[in-house]
Amino acid sequence: MSATQHRARAETASIVLIAQLARGMRRRLEQAVAPLGLRPRQLLALHHLREHGPSAQQTLIEVLRLDPSNLVAVLNELEDAGLIVRRRDRSDRRRGIIELSRQGGRLLEKVDRAVHEIDDEILAALTVDERATLGRLLGRAAEGATADCAAVVEPDCD
């Protein structure tokens, strides 16, 4: 087998392993957040607001890769649950600004604890150093995947 073929098999194997890991982690995350009343798109919106602060509705449309009417439904649910606050931009009253509420921040703290428990469960076979290395490598790989998703605007890139 040539070096190119060997490298291609190794890359394919990594993709398959990452996909399996992602499916397992996503399933566990969905199970963990279901009692909190959250779905993945809602969680992504809340996480974005915590990481980036108050955001324009258009920004969330781009980040979540949702149709505007679908985003409105997600935001309505989050607002009804008291997890976000919507307001108008003072400089452009047509523009909606979405902000994480205190209650939303507290809920994300619960999610953070659940995520750490899932990491501990699924990554139990790895040492602390291996987990740190994996985290760094996945972070670098995710940057490339996020850039690809932004360019292509794929619906499942979250």
Side-chain angles (χ1 to χ4, degrees):
M1 177 182 303
S2 74
T4 303
Q5 289 171 322
H6 182 61
R7 195 170 41 252
R9 285 185 75 185
E11 289 171 3
T12 301
S14 295
I15 290 169
V16 170
L17 291 171
I18 290 169
Q20 289 172 340
L21 182 60
R23 273 195 311 274
M25 291 188 121
R26 183 175 186 146
R27 184 175 51 253
R28 286 290 295 117
L29 180 62
E30 288 172 355
Q31 291 169 345
V33 299
L36 302 174
L38 285 177
R39 292 190 322 272
R41 298 263 186 210
Q42 295 169 322
L43 182 57
L44 286 171
L46 294 174
H47 185 265
H48 174 83
L49 293 171
R50 179 176 63 182
E51 296 299 314
H52 300 280
S55 297
Q57 193 164 317
Q58 183 61 41
T59 300
L60 290 174
I61 287 168
E62 294 164 8
V63 167
L64 299 178
R65 293 169 186 79
L66 286 176
D67 180 85
S69 61
N70 291 336
L71 178 67
V72 168
V74 168
L75 296 178
N76 286 344
E77 293 165 350
L78 292 172
E79 186 176 39
D80 290 346
L83 303 175
I84 63 165
V85 176
R86 287 196 256 200
R87 59 183 169 79
R88 291 282 160 208
D89 186 336
R90 289 182 169 271
S91 62
D92 182 353
R93 304 295 294 166
R94 297 169 294 175
R95 192 172 108 152
I97 301 294
I98 316 303
E99 187 171 355
L100 185 67
S101 71
R102 276 195 188 144
Q103 184 177 343
R106 286 191 300 269
L107 184 69
L108 284 175
E109 289 172 4
K110 291 179 185 178
V111 170
D112 288 344
R113 286 190 292 275
V115 166
H116 289 296
E117 289 173 13
I118 293 166
D119 271 358
D120 288 343
E121 173 188 321
I122 292 179
L123 302 177
L126 302 179
T127 67
V128 172
D129 288 341
E130 289 170 332
R131 286 185 193 193
T133 299
L134 178 63
R136 285 191 302 276
L137 292 172
L138 290 174
R140 286 179 27 209
E143 287 174 8
T146 302
D148 288 346
C149 287
V152 177
V153 189
E154 295 179 19
D156 292 329
C157 284
D158 53 67

